[in-house]
């Protein structure tokens, strides 16, 4: 449970309500507030641009839904956000399931953080979906929805047996649209001036929804859904889906890096 | 040294650097990293968009890709204002010249990190291999680029 001093966030301090109460009894001027988000931040994450982006994401309904499984008192699983080295040095991020009694660890690759803010937001959302999938699969108290989900997931496990990409295939089929919506909602909040200049240069008629969906597709290359989409051909000047995605991903790389 | 031997020397240095690993310039002698980009390579796609150039490099795995782009000052981009410079044979001889299509994904990862500390340039293959390449005072156009390498997420 995250405890915050009312007036400022603390990097380190009491980590349980009991500890906080104890410190109060000892005469410390401390207000114990329960942070309902059971998503904890490692000290490597606090105060970074990624942290700023994460805080903006928290106000987006779609992201709240995604994170809701980790919300509230006594949730079964915690998530911890870190910035550091990933097991695969070339990855932008990783979500690590370390067993039932351990928090799910999301690590953002330190050397890959110099990306546009929207790309970092995409990585956060992508890793949170991994965390949510781990949670829904492993919860010992599944809701009806989660039981349904397990059935779906088991089909994926069967379909992609031997492939480490079950989660990515599921993400490509079921999550890309939702991920795109979250990114659309957060974009303007990251840096409104930056949003406007980006729009004026790359999408003067308004940023289309496909831009955000394309950004969400990044990282899901190689899935069955991606391969199907990739093979769709069109007659010029109509652009193929792959051409549109490539151009959108090209553009997002040039976006602002700020989170204000 | 004669012009001919100068050219031979520069070609020799270029050839030596072809297959070599990418090294960091610690000497402070402004050694450039120059990528030769061949638009006709199966692994390379080049796009000209919004007054800038973007290059995509693919690898065996769909989850691995490298991207480099050149955004000239005319674009008035908020983040990037890449220069275009003329380089001669002597500059090439002093540079690390790398053929983009020969680099593996790890090399691109190294380039991404090096790019945070030093400038990386691109010369198009058709310019590099043009008929006048043996003319001593031939100038090649080198475009400063920003490199990223994206692995699985
Ligand atoms: Zn992933």
């Amino acid at each position: 449970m995250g405890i915050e001093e009312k007036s400022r966030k603390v990097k380190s301090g009491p980590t349980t309500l009991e500890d906080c109460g104890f410190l109060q009894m000892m005469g410390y001027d401390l207000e114990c507030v329960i942070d309902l988000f059971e998503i904890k931040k490692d000290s490597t994450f606090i105060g970074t641009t990624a942290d700023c982006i994460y805080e903006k994401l928290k106000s987006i309904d779609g992201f709240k839904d995604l994170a809701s499984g980790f919300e509230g008192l006594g949730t079964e699983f915690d998530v911890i956000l870190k910035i550091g080295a990933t097991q695969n040095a070339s990855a932008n991020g990783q979500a690590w399931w370390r067993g039932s009694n351990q928090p799910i660890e999301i690590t953002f690759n330190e050397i890959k953080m110099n990306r546009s803010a929207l790309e970092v937001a995409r990585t956060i959302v992508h890793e949170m979906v991994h965390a949510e999938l781990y949670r829904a699969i492993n919860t010992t108290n599944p809701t009806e929805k989660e039981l349904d989900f397990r059935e779906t997931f088991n089909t994926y496990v069967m379909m992609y047996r031997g492939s480490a990409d079950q989660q990515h295939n599921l993400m490509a089929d079921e999550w890309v649209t939702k991920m795109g919506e979250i990114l659309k909602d957060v974009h303007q909040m990251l840096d409104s001036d930056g949003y406007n200049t980006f729009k004026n240069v790359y999408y003067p008629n308004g940023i289309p929804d496909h831009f955000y969906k394309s950004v969400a597709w990044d990282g899901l290359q190689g899935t069955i859904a991606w391969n199907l989409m990739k093979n769709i051909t069109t007659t010029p000047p109509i652009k193929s889906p792959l051409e549109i995605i490539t151009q959108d991903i090209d553009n997002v790389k040039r976006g602002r890096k700020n989170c204000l | 040294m004669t012009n001919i031997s100068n050219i031979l020397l520069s070609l020799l240095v270029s050839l030596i650097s072809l297959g070599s690993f990418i090294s960091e310039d610690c000497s402070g002698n402004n050694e450039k990293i120059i990528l030769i980009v061949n638009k006709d390579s199966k692994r390379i796609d080049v796009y000209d968009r919004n007054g800038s150039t973007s290059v995509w490099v693919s690898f065996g795995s769909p989850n691995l890709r490298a991207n480099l782009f050149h955004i000239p000052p005319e674009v008035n981009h908020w983040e990037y204002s890449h220069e275009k410079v003329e380089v001669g044979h002597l500059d090439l001889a002093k540079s690390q010249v790398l053929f983009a299509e020969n680099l593996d994904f790890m090399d691109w990862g190294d380039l991404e990190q090096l790019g945070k500390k030093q400038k990386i340039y691109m010369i198009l293959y058709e310019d590099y291999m043009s008929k006048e390449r043996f003319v001593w005072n031939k100038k090649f156009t080198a475009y400063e680029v920003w490199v990223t390498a994206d692995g699985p997420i």
Side-chain angles (χ1 to χ4, degrees):
Chain A
M1 201 166 306
I3 305 293
E4 290 179 3
E5 268 185 82
K6 204 170 188 182
S7 55
R8 67 183 174 93
K9 292 200 169 157
V10 279
K11 281 196 177 185
S12 59
T15 51
T16 68
L17 206 51
E18 290 75 27
D19 287 350
C20 188
F22 177 74
L23 288 173
Q24 273 180 333
M25 268 166 50
M26 298 291 289
Y28 285 90
D29 182 17
L30 204 66
E31 184 142 350
C32 305
V33 182
I34 302 161
D35 182 353
L36 281 183
F37 263 73
E38 286 301 297
I39 298 166
K40 293 176 182 169
K41 298 173 185 176
D42 184 73
S43 61
T44 51
F45 188 84
I46 295 169
T48 61
T49 305
D51 188 6
C52 171
I53 295 167
Y54 168 71
E55 285 298 321
K56 309 258 182 196
L57 281 167
K58 272 168 67 172
S59 66
I60 306 291
D61 283 343
F63 191 79
K64 277 191 221 162
D65 285 348
L66 173 59
S68 63
F70 304 100
E71 209 177 310
L73 289 170
T75 52
E76 211 176 346
F77 303 109
D78 287 342
V79 169
I80 183 148
L81 305 172
K82 290 183 168 182
I83 293 182
T86 47
Q87 282 164 317
N88 176 340
S90 70
N92 282 327
Q94 72 184 24
W96 189 20
W97 168 257
R98 300 162 65 216
S100 290
N101 302 317
Q102 302 285 329
I104 301 166
E105 229 176 72
I106 294 181
T107 307
F108 301 99
N109 193 348
E110 192 170 10
I111 61 170
K112 301 279 185 183
M113 296 310 286
N114 191 23
R115 296 287 206 262
S116 70
L118 196 61
E119 283 182 285
V120 175
R122 186 269 327 281
T123 306
I124 296 175
V125 174
H126 180 107
E127 300 309 332
M128 276 301 297
V129 175
H130 277 305
E132 168 57 13
L133 296 180
Y134 282 129
R135 190 197 63 77
I137 296 159
N138 291 293
T139 178
T140 49
N141 254 328
T143 60
E144 206 142 304
K145 205 171 130 207
E146 279 155 1
L147 285 171
D148 274 357
F149 162 75
R150 270 189 203 179
E151 219 164 281
T152 314
F153 190 76
N154 284 336
T155 329
Y156 276 80
V157 174
M158 300 282 284
M159 274 165 70
Y160 305 107
R161 197 190 289 276
S163 138
D165 241 5
Q166 292 141 359
Q167 291 206 0
H168 282 156
N169 274 292
L170 188 91
M171 234 189 256
D173 292 345
E174 312 258 336
W175 282 88
V176 166
T177 305
K178 275 181 238 171
M179 289 160 81
E181 284 163 5
I182 296 172
L183 295 173
K184 181 184 174 179
D185 290 347
V186 85
H187 193 188
Q188 208 161 354
M189 292 170 68
L190 298 173
D191 163 11
S192 59
D193 283 350
Y195 171 87
N196 286 327
T197 45
F198 178 81
K199 180 172 81 92
N200 294 341
V201 172
Y202 294 108
Y203 302 96
N205 299 324
I207 304 179
D209 287 353
H210 69 68
F211 167 72
Y212 297 103
K213 205 167 167 182
S214 299
V215 177
W217 266 113
D218 208 3
L220 303 176
Q221 291 92 339
T223 56
I224 305 280
W226 170 270
N227 290 337
L228 287 173
M229 183 276 300
K230 195 182 78 174
N231 292 329
I232 299 172
T233 51
T234 49
T235 320
I238 297 166
K239 285 187 179 135
S240 71
L242 185 65
E243 283 169 327
I244 293 172
I245 291 185
T246 309
Q247 179 159 3
D248 288 337
I249 294 177
D250 230 32
N251 292 344
V252 74
K253 283 180 172 291
R254 300 157 192 221
R256 293 260 203 170
K257 297 180 180 179
N258 303 350
C259 174
L260 304 173
Chain B
M1 217 186 294
T2 65
N3 278 354
I4 296 286
S5 54
N6 261 331
I7 294 170
L8 286 175
L9 174 69
S10 77
L11 284 175
L12 182 67
V13 175
S14 305
L15 281 171
I16 291 169
S17 58
L18 286 186
S20 70
F21 25 78
I22 300 154
S23 60
E24 197 170 337
D25 173 28
C26 303
S27 54
N29 64 0
N30 295 321
E31 180 190 80
K32 284 187 176 71
I33 294 178
I34 297 177
L35 295 161
I36 309 299
V37 172
N38 185 356
K39 286 179 181 178
D40 295 326
S41 162
K42 273 189 199 147
R43 293 176 50 196
I44 295 175
D45 290 307
V46 179
Y47 303 95
D48 287 313
R49 290 176 183 138
N50 303 86
S52 55
T53 306
S54 179
V55 179
W56 285 90
V57 186
S58 57
F59 303 89
S61 160
N63 272 323
L64 306 177
R65 62 244 173 256
N67 175 247
L68 51 99
F69 56 75
H70 167 79
I71 303 182
E74 308 87 88
V75 170
N76 281 322
H77 193 273
W78 46 85
E79 189 91 38
Y80 304 101
S81 176
H82 294 145
E83 61 177 5
K84 186 168 93 173
V85 293
E86 301 290 305
V87 296
H89 283 286
L90 267 180
D91 299 306
L92 286 179
K94 283 190 286 179
S95 305
Q96 280 197 77
V97 179
L98 304 157
F99 278 76
E101 61 194 308
N102 293 345
L103 301 177
D104 63 22
F105 180 72
M106 299 302 280
D107 293 329
W108 288 101
D110 292 345
L111 281 172
E112 176 178 355
Q113 297 315 312
L114 280 177
K116 293 175 183 168
K117 292 181 253 171
Q118 69 185 97
K119 289 184 179 181
I120 299 176
Y121 296 85
M122 155 179 90
I123 294 178
L124 293 171
Y125 185 81
E126 65 229 45
D127 183 15
Y128 189 72
M129 296 304 274
S130 68
K131 279 195 303 231
E132 308 90 63
R133 69 185 181 277
F134 294 119
V135 176
W136 172 241
N137 53 8
K138 156 80 178 160
K139 295 287 181 199
F140 303 90
T141 308
Y143 301 87
E144 186 190 346
V145 287
W146 179 257
V147 176
T148 55
D150 289 293
I153 55 171

